[in-house]
Amino acid sequence: MNIPVNNMQTLLEQLRHIVGDAHVLTDGNLTAWEQDWRQRSHGKALAVLRPASTDEVARVVKACAAYRASNPTSRVSIVPQGGNTGLVVGATPDDSGQQIVLSLQRMNAVRGLDAANLTMTVEAGCILQTLQERAQADGFLFPLSLAAEGSCTIGGNLGTNAGGTQVVRFGNTRDLCLGLEVVTAQGDIWNGLSGLRKDNTGYDLRDLFIGSEGTLGIITAATLKLYPLPAARLTAWAAVPSLEAAVNLLGLAQRQLGSGLTGFEAMGQFALSLVAKHYPHLHLPLFQGSPFCVLLENSDHESEAHACSQFERVLEAALEQGCVTNAVVAESLTQAKALWQIRESIPLAQAQEGLNIKHDISVPVSSIPEFVRSTDALLRQVFPGVRLVNFGHLGDGNLHYNVQAPEGVDAADFLRQQEEQVNTLVFDSVTRFEGSISAEHGIGSLKVDQLEKYKSPIALEMMRAIKHALDPQNLLNPARVVRVIKF
Amino acid sequence: MNIPVNNMQTLLEQLRHIVGDAHVLTDGNLTAWEQDWRQRSHGKALAVLRPASTDEVARVVKACAAYRASNPTSRVSIVPQGGNTGLVVGATPDDSGQQIVLSLQRMNAVRGLDAANLTMTVEAGCILQTLQERAQADGFLFPLSLAAEGSCTIGGNLGTNAGGTQVVRFGNTRDLCLGLEVVTAQGDIWNGLSGLRKDNTGYDLRDLFIGSEGTLGIITAATLKLYPLPAARLTAWAAVPSLEAAVNLLGLAQRQLGSGLTGFEAMGQFALSLVAKHYPHLHLPLFQGSPFCVLLENSDHESEAHACSQFERVLEAALEQGCVTNAVVAESLTQAKALWQIRESIPLAQAQEGLNIKHDISVPVSSIPEFVRSTDALLRQVFPGVRLVNFGHLGDGNLHYNVQAPEGVDAADFLRQQEEQVNTLVFDSVTRFEGSISAEHGIGSLKVDQLEKYKSPIALEMMRAIKHALDPQNLLNPARVVRVIKF
């Protein structure tokens, strides 16, 4: 016998009973949960829920699913949220007032660390930096590293399959996860918290949930891979005469350093000039006269002296082959941090310069030079004077290929008027080079329409079938990633 | 208007039209396709099809799907097959005479190699060893390596997410694949042949097909990761006093060699004694008096001299700490090959000794010693005199924990009478240690019932939902991996 729960107030009372009055927020300023990080969208939540345990998450989902079953016209749904640092409006509510923000932030326990197995089991709400520090305290490396690490959560990293600066060696978040605990759209708890490196017992549910942006299930905990801490991590900075040269340098470094190469970032001259302009106290080496600079990181399990000699060997060969015109190796941790700070200041300097149209694209590494050349030319032809802020994770073929208004043109006007055309031009070009319109940030609600346009219809059809199979009520983060036509 | 095709002969004519008369085999000796590698099952195929292209595969699937749609009681289905070297009866037909074996062996082109992107795009029927050699000829490493590499195909490796001896560094086949081309159960071609290291545009369809053993779609091609060839690969052999010591040695080697550690195999004394007995011409170092020996491989991007000094550093520390009692480093490629040959001779020596009950289990690395101690004890209690052939990929927590009849007991009798009870005892123990009943071989038809017993019901339910969503006719490899109750 189903007793219909027709009243939204009754649902809210049930939710208060499950997570506690103090953790069901409906009044006051909810901006921290309702607005996305880039402030592109400010929605209206039915409530913000802050459960403390997997069991509470499961009961919340069951209550909402039952409410939907009893109220077929209801559009109540659940938006899982971590640190709310996403860049594609995937974790904040729409303006319907019907979406429950389910914040995982209170679930922030490290459940365990298995040194001999090189794994750590953690809850979804753990802050990334806390996990890096916890691993390091035990003598291990958790390599995921990205700009928002001080406030993003591992649940969000998993939900979006976050990338960052260490992907060239360690892969994306997907590659760092062995097992998951997930609350399904039915409110069941799947304990898939495996610490196994090999397990071929059925379909890869783990990787289906990773990167699904909370649309298929709610990740509540994960078992993550750890690595031994290297004996030394060195950073170098090289001026390169072209992107072709940068690609050649990458190949050389990969051959000579193997998986010692843990970072390879490229930065265009205009991007660096913005840093020099807006952060004049930073010392930028070797960038004048160089179309691109490259930041390299070498992690070594032997010693700092060995890391240094290996780096010198690579850079000497690169100078000889002409793929580097000049280079420096940081001689202290302080110097290394200063070099990374330049790289990390680019988005901030760009913001100082004014609004801009951001892209997060990838193409095969071999296609990077030709992609940039031809796309630069197209953009300059259509938008004379346009300024291109080009930087990113060249080792992964991932560029933040951003478009800034011509000098003297109002940046907000340019964004408003040209964003769609700029996006179309860039994404069409990406598609010609068999690339991705979203390399590491995901789809969220911001790129749903673009995905419909650029993704293979057969892939989209399979995605819809899977969404319908796992979440037939369309209860979890609807209209994100892929829109389901009929429900 | 659907014109019903009621006649199986008409379907076969259509298939002959698609792939050519010469490549539809219905008569003569079809044992090579109908019998599995371990000869545990000999089925009866409706036909063996050998298509030459993705387009032909798609048209075959469309024809079969249409036939099924027009003949609702028909049980015609498709069993994809690669090199037919699988160990769990997943790629041979049942005895219904209704299953079409779709062999991918004629699709064996290397479509391209992108050196700067470190990728290679290949068709499903390529023999693994051919791909290793092709990569090496261009100066690259394709690291997947396993006993059947001379005859298994990459399509089968992907379908089963094969493991092997390099997983400790490079992961399973899943980790070596960036993109797939798949023929869906509807006969559509999904071109997901991405060479991208980062692509967060929707659900991870790639990893869903990998390891699904041909039950969700037919993998026709893949884009694979390549690595630079190391400057040197050295092999060492160490006697260890216990499995605890072996686990400690693993940790030490991982700390000091980092990802230079590309192989870590453990072998129990009884397993090695069988090699000594049946292959007396092989020289087995250091195994007498040692409960376990370990084979280590160190890949180095600097030089052979550096690899050697690094290895010596690890082994000296291990001797000092007591986790190794004695060790040798191979001084030539010939010596290294001889050490690997010992490892690879264990399954053959075991076969010489008589039939045995094979397991392919994994537990967290940290649990290996206790798992083996307690499971050994349980087995010896229930089956006095039983002999345990224990060896495997210790670096991945994966053991081939095989059970041989007591000396003097008829091996075939023992297998027939005790297999089920032995399996139950071992799998129950694996489950207590949060392990996997199939680490690298998959489920096929051999372990379908066991999966029902040992896998989480929630995971099984999601698997069934996904199978139904992608293959609603249950056309592809039915009753393998997961049985779908209602269709």
Side-chain angles (χ1 to χ4, degrees), chain A residues 114 117 198-201 203 215 259 302 306 362 366 436 438 455, chain B residues 114 117 198-201 203 215 259 302 306 362 365-366 436 438 455:
Chain A
D114 183 340
N117 197 45
K198 280 182 173 173
D199 180 15
N200 279 345
T201 55
Y203 303 156
T215 63
S259 48
E302 189 172 339
H306 184 256
S362 64
S366 48
S436 168
S438 188
K455 189 94 176 174
Chain B
D114 182 340
N117 197 44
K198 279 182 172 173
D199 180 15
N200 279 346
T201 55
Y203 304 155
T215 63
S259 49
E302 191 173 337
H306 184 255
S362 64
V365 172
S366 50
S436 167
S438 188
K455 189 94 175 174

PDB file of all heavy atoms in Angstrom, chain A residues 114 117 198-201 203 215 259 302 306 362 366 436 438 455, chain B residues 114 117 198-201 203 215 259 302 306 362 365-366 436 438 455:
ATOM      1  N   ASP A 114      45.605   2.211   3.605  1.00  0.00           N
ATOM      2  CA  ASP A 114      46.251   0.898   3.578  1.00  0.00           C
ATOM      3  C   ASP A 114      47.604   1.075   2.894  1.00  0.00           C
ATOM      4  O   ASP A 114      47.702   1.112   1.669  1.00  0.00           O
ATOM      5  CB  ASP A 114      45.345  -0.078   2.820  1.00  0.00           C
ATOM      6  CG  ASP A 114      45.892  -1.500   2.790  1.00  0.00           C
ATOM      7  OD1 ASP A 114      47.110  -1.681   3.014  1.00  0.00           O
ATOM      8  OD2 ASP A 114      45.101  -2.426   2.537  1.00  0.00           O
ATOM      9  N   ASN A 117      48.873  -1.642   0.480  1.00  0.00           N
ATOM     10  CA  ASN A 117      48.052  -1.729  -0.731  1.00  0.00           C
ATOM     11  C   ASN A 117      48.085  -0.431  -1.527  1.00  0.00           C
ATOM     12  O   ASN A 117      47.500  -0.335  -2.600  1.00  0.00           O
ATOM     13  CB  ASN A 117      46.600  -2.078  -0.360  1.00  0.00           C
ATOM     14  CG  ASN A 117      45.796  -2.579  -1.532  1.00  0.00           C
ATOM     15  OD1 ASN A 117      46.277  -3.407  -2.297  1.00  0.00           O
ATOM     16  ND2 ASN A 117      44.588  -2.050  -1.700  1.00  0.00           N
ATOM     17  N   LYS A 198      42.943  -5.386  -9.789  1.00  0.00           N
ATOM     18  CA  LYS A 198      42.419  -6.252 -10.853  1.00  0.00           C
ATOM     19  C   LYS A 198      41.114  -6.846 -10.371  1.00  0.00           C
ATOM     20  O   LYS A 198      41.078  -7.505  -9.325  1.00  0.00           O
ATOM     21  CB  LYS A 198      43.389  -7.399 -11.133  1.00  0.00           C
ATOM     22  CG  LYS A 198      44.560  -7.073 -12.002  1.00  0.00           C
ATOM     23  CD  LYS A 198      45.369  -8.344 -12.213  1.00  0.00           C
ATOM     24  CE  LYS A 198      46.479  -8.141 -13.216  1.00  0.00           C
ATOM     25  NZ  LYS A 198      47.350  -9.339 -13.263  1.00  0.00           N
ATOM     26  N   ASP A 199      40.062  -6.640 -11.127  1.00  0.00           N
ATOM     27  CA  ASP A 199      38.771  -7.209 -10.763  1.00  0.00           C
ATOM     28  C   ASP A 199      37.894  -7.243 -12.010  1.00  0.00           C
ATOM     29  O   ASP A 199      37.301  -6.233 -12.378  1.00  0.00           O
ATOM     30  CB  ASP A 199      38.122  -6.368  -9.657  1.00  0.00           C
ATOM     31  CG  ASP A 199      36.764  -6.921  -9.246  1.00  0.00           C
ATOM     32  OD1 ASP A 199      36.469  -8.081  -9.600  1.00  0.00           O
ATOM     33  OD2 ASP A 199      36.011  -6.192  -8.586  1.00  0.00           O
ATOM     34  N   ASN A 200      37.847  -8.402 -12.652  1.00  0.00           N
ATOM     35  CA  ASN A 200      37.067  -8.523 -13.892  1.00  0.00           C
ATOM     36  C   ASN A 200      35.778  -9.293 -13.650  1.00  0.00           C
ATOM     37  O   ASN A 200      35.496 -10.291 -14.298  1.00  0.00           O
ATOM     38  CB  ASN A 200      37.909  -9.176 -14.990  1.00  0.00           C
ATOM     39  CG  ASN A 200      38.842  -8.171 -15.655  1.00  0.00           C
ATOM     40  OD1 ASN A 200      38.675  -6.961 -15.510  1.00  0.00           O
ATOM     41  ND2 ASN A 200      39.810  -8.668 -16.397  1.00  0.00           N
ATOM     42  N   THR A 201      34.981  -8.786 -12.719  1.00  0.00           N
ATOM     43  CA  THR A 201      33.704  -9.454 -12.425  1.00  0.00           C
ATOM     44  C   THR A 201      32.545  -8.563 -12.863  1.00  0.00           C
ATOM     45  O   THR A 201      31.821  -8.006 -12.037  1.00  0.00           O
ATOM     46  CB  THR A 201      33.580  -9.772 -10.922  1.00  0.00           C
ATOM     47  OG1 THR A 201      33.760  -8.548 -10.180  1.00  0.00           O
ATOM     48  CG2 THR A 201      34.608 -10.771 -10.468  1.00  0.00           C
ATOM     49  N   TYR A 203      30.458  -5.595 -15.496  1.00  0.00           N
ATOM     50  CA  TYR A 203      30.591  -4.295 -16.156  1.00  0.00           C
ATOM     51  C   TYR A 203      31.266  -3.278 -15.242  1.00  0.00           C
ATOM     52  O   TYR A 203      31.146  -3.326 -14.019  1.00  0.00           O
ATOM     53  CB  TYR A 203      29.214  -3.776 -16.577  1.00  0.00           C
ATOM     54  CG  TYR A 203      28.448  -4.708 -17.483  1.00  0.00           C
ATOM     55  CD1 TYR A 203      27.058  -4.652 -17.558  1.00  0.00           C
ATOM     56  CD2 TYR A 203      29.104  -5.656 -18.277  1.00  0.00           C
ATOM     57  CE1 TYR A 203      26.337  -5.515 -18.386  1.00  0.00           C
ATOM     58  CE2 TYR A 203      28.393  -6.511 -19.107  1.00  0.00           C
ATOM     59  CZ  TYR A 203      27.010  -6.438 -19.149  1.00  0.00           C
ATOM     60  OH  TYR A 203      26.317  -7.283 -19.963  1.00  0.00           O
ATOM     61  N   THR A 215      24.552  12.501 -12.365  1.00  0.00           N
ATOM     62  CA  THR A 215      23.296  12.228 -13.071  1.00  0.00           C
ATOM     63  C   THR A 215      22.870  10.764 -12.992  1.00  0.00           C
ATOM     64  O   THR A 215      21.734  10.440 -13.323  1.00  0.00           O
ATOM     65  CB  THR A 215      23.387  12.607 -14.565  1.00  0.00           C
ATOM     66  OG1 THR A 215      24.398  11.789 -15.184  1.00  0.00           O
ATOM     67  CG2 THR A 215      23.742  14.075 -14.746  1.00  0.00           C
ATOM     68  N   SER A 259      58.392   7.986 -16.973  1.00  0.00           N
ATOM     69  CA  SER A 259      57.305   8.526 -16.155  1.00  0.00           C
ATOM     70  C   SER A 259      57.825   9.465 -15.073  1.00  0.00           C
ATOM     71  O   SER A 259      57.053   9.908 -14.230  1.00  0.00           O
ATOM     72  CB  SER A 259      56.478   7.397 -15.555  1.00  0.00           C
ATOM     73  OG  SER A 259      57.339   6.446 -14.990  1.00  0.00           O
ATOM     74  N   GLU A 302      65.216   8.588  -6.953  1.00  0.00           N
ATOM     75  CA  GLU A 302      66.576   8.317  -6.483  1.00  0.00           C
ATOM     76  C   GLU A 302      67.053   9.460  -5.576  1.00  0.00           C
ATOM     77  O   GLU A 302      67.247   9.282  -4.383  1.00  0.00           O
ATOM     78  CB  GLU A 302      67.487   8.150  -7.696  1.00  0.00           C
ATOM     79  CG  GLU A 302      68.865   7.662  -7.361  1.00  0.00           C
ATOM     80  CD  GLU A 302      69.659   7.333  -8.621  1.00  0.00           C
ATOM     81  OE1 GLU A 302      69.043   7.112  -9.690  1.00  0.00           O
ATOM     82  OE2 GLU A 302      70.898   7.317  -8.539  1.00  0.00           O
ATOM     83  N   HIS A 306      70.291  13.356  -8.813  1.00  0.00           N
ATOM     84  CA  HIS A 306      69.982  12.578 -10.018  1.00  0.00           C
ATOM     85  C   HIS A 306      68.904  13.260 -10.853  1.00  0.00           C
ATOM     86  O   HIS A 306      69.012  13.324 -12.091  1.00  0.00           O
ATOM     87  CB  HIS A 306      69.545  11.162  -9.635  1.00  0.00           C
ATOM     88  CG  HIS A 306      69.307  10.285 -10.827  1.00  0.00           C
ATOM     89  ND1 HIS A 306      68.049   9.961 -11.275  1.00  0.00           N
ATOM     90  CD2 HIS A 306      70.172   9.706 -11.689  1.00  0.00           C
ATOM     91  CE1 HIS A 306      68.158   9.206 -12.357  1.00  0.00           C
ATOM     92  NE2 HIS A 306      69.433   9.028 -12.629  1.00  0.00           N
ATOM     93  N   SER A 362      40.586  19.773 -26.089  1.00  0.00           N
ATOM     94  CA  SER A 362      41.746  18.914 -26.311  1.00  0.00           C
ATOM     95  C   SER A 362      41.731  18.409 -27.741  1.00  0.00           C
ATOM     96  O   SER A 362      40.665  18.266 -28.352  1.00  0.00           O
ATOM     97  CB  SER A 362      41.765  17.727 -25.337  1.00  0.00           C
ATOM     98  OG  SER A 362      40.656  16.889 -25.545  1.00  0.00           O
ATOM     99  N   SER A 366      49.753  15.573 -31.314  1.00  0.00           N
ATOM    100  CA  SER A 366      50.387  15.792 -32.616  1.00  0.00           C
ATOM    101  C   SER A 366      49.683  16.872 -33.430  1.00  0.00           C
ATOM    102  O   SER A 366      50.278  17.450 -34.338  1.00  0.00           O
ATOM    103  CB  SER A 366      50.375  14.477 -33.415  1.00  0.00           C
ATOM    104  OG  SER A 366      49.066  13.907 -33.378  1.00  0.00           O
ATOM    105  N   SER A 436      38.081  17.310 -28.405  1.00  0.00           N
ATOM    106  CA  SER A 436      36.975  17.342 -27.447  1.00  0.00           C
ATOM    107  C   SER A 436      36.638  18.784 -27.088  1.00  0.00           C
ATOM    108  O   SER A 436      37.538  19.589 -26.838  1.00  0.00           O
ATOM    109  CB  SER A 436      37.374  16.579 -26.176  1.00  0.00           C
ATOM    110  OG  SER A 436      36.443  16.836 -25.139  1.00  0.00           O
ATOM    111  N   SER A 438      35.170  19.562 -24.379  1.00  0.00           N
ATOM    112  CA  SER A 438      35.352  19.707 -22.931  1.00  0.00           C
ATOM    113  C   SER A 438      36.343  18.661 -22.455  1.00  0.00           C
ATOM    114  O   SER A 438      35.995  17.502 -22.254  1.00  0.00           O
ATOM    115  CB  SER A 438      34.028  19.579 -22.184  1.00  0.00           C
ATOM    116  OG  SER A 438      34.232  19.918 -20.821  1.00  0.00           O
ATOM    117  N   LYS A 455      28.507  15.813 -30.279  1.00  0.00           N
ATOM    118  CA  LYS A 455      28.734  14.403 -29.929  1.00  0.00           C
ATOM    119  C   LYS A 455      28.035  13.510 -30.947  1.00  0.00           C
ATOM    120  O   LYS A 455      26.979  13.859 -31.472  1.00  0.00           O
ATOM    121  CB  LYS A 455      28.175  14.147 -28.530  1.00  0.00           C
ATOM    122  CG  LYS A 455      28.518  12.794 -27.935  1.00  0.00           C
ATOM    123  CD  LYS A 455      29.743  12.845 -27.082  1.00  0.00           C
ATOM    124  CE  LYS A 455      30.027  11.516 -26.400  1.00  0.00           C
ATOM    125  NZ  LYS A 455      31.314  11.560 -25.675  1.00  0.00           N
TER     126      LYS A 455
ATOM    127  N   ASP B 114      50.464   7.232 -34.374  1.00  0.00           N
ATOM    128  CA  ASP B 114      50.721   8.663 -34.224  1.00  0.00           C
ATOM    129  C   ASP B 114      51.833   8.826 -33.181  1.00  0.00           C
ATOM    130  O   ASP B 114      51.579   8.758 -31.977  1.00  0.00           O
ATOM    131  CB  ASP B 114      49.427   9.358 -33.784  1.00  0.00           C
ATOM    132  CG  ASP B 114      49.576  10.879 -33.654  1.00  0.00           C
ATOM    133  OD1 ASP B 114      50.723  11.362 -33.530  1.00  0.00           O
ATOM    134  OD2 ASP B 114      48.540  11.570 -33.657  1.00  0.00           O
ATOM    135  N   ASN B 117      51.636  11.678 -30.608  1.00  0.00           N
ATOM    136  CA  ASN B 117      50.513  11.504 -29.690  1.00  0.00           C
ATOM    137  C   ASN B 117      50.642  10.224 -28.863  1.00  0.00           C
ATOM    138  O   ASN B 117      49.826   9.960 -27.998  1.00  0.00           O
ATOM    139  CB  ASN B 117      49.195  11.477 -30.480  1.00  0.00           C
ATOM    140  CG  ASN B 117      47.985  11.722 -29.593  1.00  0.00           C
ATOM    141  OD1 ASN B 117      48.008  12.615 -28.746  1.00  0.00           O
ATOM    142  ND2 ASN B 117      46.946  10.912 -29.751  1.00  0.00           N
ATOM    143  N   LYS B 198      42.322  13.425 -22.559  1.00  0.00           N
ATOM    144  CA  LYS B 198      41.320  14.084 -21.726  1.00  0.00           C
ATOM    145  C   LYS B 198      40.098  14.347 -22.573  1.00  0.00           C
ATOM    146  O   LYS B 198      40.194  15.009 -23.612  1.00  0.00           O
ATOM    147  CB  LYS B 198      41.847  15.438 -21.235  1.00  0.00           C
ATOM    148  CG  LYS B 198      42.778  15.384 -20.047  1.00  0.00           C
ATOM    149  CD  LYS B 198      43.171  16.805 -19.668  1.00  0.00           C
ATOM    150  CE  LYS B 198      43.940  16.870 -18.374  1.00  0.00           C
ATOM    151  NZ  LYS B 198      44.432  18.241 -18.130  1.00  0.00           N
ATOM    152  N   ASP B 199      38.961  13.867 -22.125  1.00  0.00           N
ATOM    153  CA  ASP B 199      37.725  14.094 -22.872  1.00  0.00           C
ATOM    154  C   ASP B 199      36.561  13.859 -21.920  1.00  0.00           C
ATOM    155  O   ASP B 199      36.173  12.716 -21.678  1.00  0.00           O
ATOM    156  CB  ASP B 199      37.650  13.137 -24.069  1.00  0.00           C
ATOM    157  CG  ASP B 199      36.368  13.343 -24.859  1.00  0.00           C
ATOM    158  OD1 ASP B 199      35.697  14.377 -24.676  1.00  0.00           O
ATOM    159  OD2 ASP B 199      36.024  12.452 -25.664  1.00  0.00           O
ATOM    160  N   ASN B 200      36.036  14.920 -21.361  1.00  0.00           N
ATOM    161  CA  ASN B 200      34.939  14.790 -20.401  1.00  0.00           C
ATOM    162  C   ASN B 200      33.614  15.220 -21.016  1.00  0.00           C
ATOM    163  O   ASN B 200      32.930  16.097 -20.524  1.00  0.00           O
ATOM    164  CB  ASN B 200      35.248  15.595 -19.134  1.00  0.00           C
ATOM    165  CG  ASN B 200      36.179  14.847 -18.195  1.00  0.00           C
ATOM    166  OD1 ASN B 200      36.384  13.649 -18.363  1.00  0.00           O
ATOM    167  ND2 ASN B 200      36.743  15.542 -17.228  1.00  0.00           N
ATOM    168  N   THR B 201      33.273  14.576 -22.112  1.00  0.00           N
ATOM    169  CA  THR B 201      32.014  14.900 -22.780  1.00  0.00           C
ATOM    170  C   THR B 201      31.041  13.724 -22.652  1.00  0.00           C
ATOM    171  O   THR B 201      30.713  13.062 -23.630  1.00  0.00           O
ATOM    172  CB  THR B 201      32.231  15.222 -24.269  1.00  0.00           C
ATOM    173  OG1 THR B 201      32.930  14.119 -24.869  1.00  0.00           O
ATOM    174  CG2 THR B 201      33.060  16.481 -24.452  1.00  0.00           C
ATOM    175  N   TYR B 203      29.123  10.236 -20.599  1.00  0.00           N
ATOM    176  CA  TYR B 203      29.394   8.989 -19.883  1.00  0.00           C
ATOM    177  C   TYR B 203      30.536   8.212 -20.533  1.00  0.00           C
ATOM    178  O   TYR B 203      30.760   8.277 -21.742  1.00  0.00           O
ATOM    179  CB  TYR B 203      28.131   8.114 -19.845  1.00  0.00           C
ATOM    180  CG  TYR B 203      26.930   8.793 -19.234  1.00  0.00           C
ATOM    181  CD1 TYR B 203      25.640   8.397 -19.557  1.00  0.00           C
ATOM    182  CD2 TYR B 203      27.078   9.842 -18.322  1.00  0.00           C
ATOM    183  CE1 TYR B 203      24.530   9.006 -19.005  1.00  0.00           C
ATOM    184  CE2 TYR B 203      25.971  10.458 -17.761  1.00  0.00           C
ATOM    185  CZ  TYR B 203      24.706  10.042 -18.112  1.00  0.00           C
ATOM    186  OH  TYR B 203      23.610  10.658 -17.569  1.00  0.00           O
ATOM    187  N   THR B 215      29.110  -8.634 -24.603  1.00  0.00           N
ATOM    188  CA  THR B 215      27.676  -8.724 -24.291  1.00  0.00           C
ATOM    189  C   THR B 215      26.935  -7.411 -24.540  1.00  0.00           C
ATOM    190  O   THR B 215      25.712  -7.386 -24.546  1.00  0.00           O
ATOM    191  CB  THR B 215      27.439  -9.123 -22.816  1.00  0.00           C
ATOM    192  OG1 THR B 215      27.982  -8.098 -21.969  1.00  0.00           O
ATOM    193  CG2 THR B 215      28.084 -10.451 -22.489  1.00  0.00           C
ATOM    194  N   SER B 259      57.998   4.133 -10.867  1.00  0.00           N
ATOM    195  CA  SER B 259      57.354   3.369 -11.927  1.00  0.00           C
ATOM    196  C   SER B 259      58.374   2.636 -12.783  1.00  0.00           C
ATOM    197  O   SER B 259      58.015   2.051 -13.791  1.00  0.00           O
ATOM    198  CB  SER B 259      56.462   4.269 -12.760  1.00  0.00           C
ATOM    199  OG  SER B 259      57.194   5.410 -13.124  1.00  0.00           O
ATOM    200  N   GLU B 302      67.291   5.677 -18.536  1.00  0.00           N
ATOM    201  CA  GLU B 302      68.616   6.281 -18.621  1.00  0.00           C
ATOM    202  C   GLU B 302      69.600   5.331 -19.309  1.00  0.00           C
ATOM    203  O   GLU B 302      70.070   5.611 -20.409  1.00  0.00           O
ATOM    204  CB  GLU B 302      69.094   6.636 -17.207  1.00  0.00           C
ATOM    205  CG  GLU B 302      70.325   7.507 -17.186  1.00  0.00           C
ATOM    206  CD  GLU B 302      70.633   7.965 -15.753  1.00  0.00           C
ATOM    207  OE1 GLU B 302      69.704   7.978 -14.914  1.00  0.00           O
ATOM    208  OE2 GLU B 302      71.792   8.295 -15.478  1.00  0.00           O
ATOM    209  N   HIS B 306      72.658   2.283 -15.166  1.00  0.00           N
ATOM    210  CA  HIS B 306      71.852   2.910 -14.127  1.00  0.00           C
ATOM    211  C   HIS B 306      70.782   1.947 -13.599  1.00  0.00           C
ATOM    212  O   HIS B 306      70.558   1.860 -12.390  1.00  0.00           O
ATOM    213  CB  HIS B 306      71.197   4.188 -14.671  1.00  0.00           C
ATOM    214  CG  HIS B 306      70.432   4.935 -13.619  1.00  0.00           C
ATOM    215  ND1 HIS B 306      69.055   4.917 -13.563  1.00  0.00           N
ATOM    216  CD2 HIS B 306      70.849   5.679 -12.576  1.00  0.00           C
ATOM    217  CE1 HIS B 306      68.662   5.639 -12.526  1.00  0.00           C
ATOM    218  NE2 HIS B 306      69.728   6.120 -11.911  1.00  0.00           N
ATOM    219  N   SER B 362      41.971 -12.105  -6.673  1.00  0.00           N
ATOM    220  CA  SER B 362      42.765 -10.988  -6.168  1.00  0.00           C
ATOM    221  C   SER B 362      42.229 -10.563  -4.809  1.00  0.00           C
ATOM    222  O   SER B 362      41.035 -10.728  -4.520  1.00  0.00           O
ATOM    223  CB  SER B 362      42.743  -9.804  -7.138  1.00  0.00           C
ATOM    224  OG  SER B 362      41.443  -9.269  -7.263  1.00  0.00           O
ATOM    225  N   VAL B 365      46.740  -6.097  -1.726  1.00  0.00           N
ATOM    226  CA  VAL B 365      48.110  -6.583  -1.559  1.00  0.00           C
ATOM    227  C   VAL B 365      48.428  -6.816  -0.084  1.00  0.00           C
ATOM    228  O   VAL B 365      49.058  -7.805   0.287  1.00  0.00           O
ATOM    229  CB  VAL B 365      49.104  -5.576  -2.178  1.00  0.00           C
ATOM    230  CG1 VAL B 365      50.541  -5.952  -1.846  1.00  0.00           C
ATOM    231  CG2 VAL B 365      48.901  -5.495  -3.686  1.00  0.00           C
ATOM    232  N   SER B 366      47.925  -5.916   0.751  1.00  0.00           N
ATOM    233  CA  SER B 366      48.196  -6.014   2.186  1.00  0.00           C
ATOM    234  C   SER B 366      47.588  -7.268   2.809  1.00  0.00           C
ATOM    235  O   SER B 366      48.031  -7.706   3.871  1.00  0.00           O
ATOM    236  CB  SER B 366      47.640  -4.776   2.894  1.00  0.00           C
ATOM    237  OG  SER B 366      46.289  -4.564   2.489  1.00  0.00           O
ATOM    238  N   SER B 436      38.384 -10.446  -5.247  1.00  0.00           N
ATOM    239  CA  SER B 436      37.622 -10.722  -6.465  1.00  0.00           C
ATOM    240  C   SER B 436      37.775 -12.182  -6.850  1.00  0.00           C
ATOM    241  O   SER B 436      38.878 -12.727  -6.816  1.00  0.00           O
ATOM    242  CB  SER B 436      38.135  -9.840  -7.604  1.00  0.00           C
ATOM    243  OG  SER B 436      37.634 -10.299  -8.847  1.00  0.00           O
ATOM    244  N   SER B 438      37.366 -13.206  -9.830  1.00  0.00           N
ATOM    245  CA  SER B 438      37.977 -13.252 -11.161  1.00  0.00           C
ATOM    246  C   SER B 438      38.766 -11.978 -11.387  1.00  0.00           C
ATOM    247  O   SER B 438      38.210 -10.942 -11.726  1.00  0.00           O
ATOM    248  CB  SER B 438      36.924 -13.436 -12.251  1.00  0.00           C
ATOM    249  OG  SER B 438      37.583 -13.652 -13.485  1.00  0.00           O
ATOM    250  N   LYS B 455      28.601 -11.486  -6.177  1.00  0.00           N
ATOM    251  CA  LYS B 455      28.552 -10.058  -6.495  1.00  0.00           C
ATOM    252  C   LYS B 455      27.405  -9.409  -5.741  1.00  0.00           C
ATOM    253  O   LYS B 455      26.366 -10.028  -5.520  1.00  0.00           O
ATOM    254  CB  LYS B 455      28.348  -9.890  -8.011  1.00  0.00           C
ATOM    255  CG  LYS B 455      28.494  -8.470  -8.528  1.00  0.00           C
ATOM    256  CD  LYS B 455      29.885  -8.193  -9.018  1.00  0.00           C
ATOM    257  CE  LYS B 455      30.002  -6.810  -9.636  1.00  0.00           C
ATOM    258  NZ  LYS B 455      31.402  -6.507  -9.983  1.00  0.00           N
TER     259      LYS B 455
END
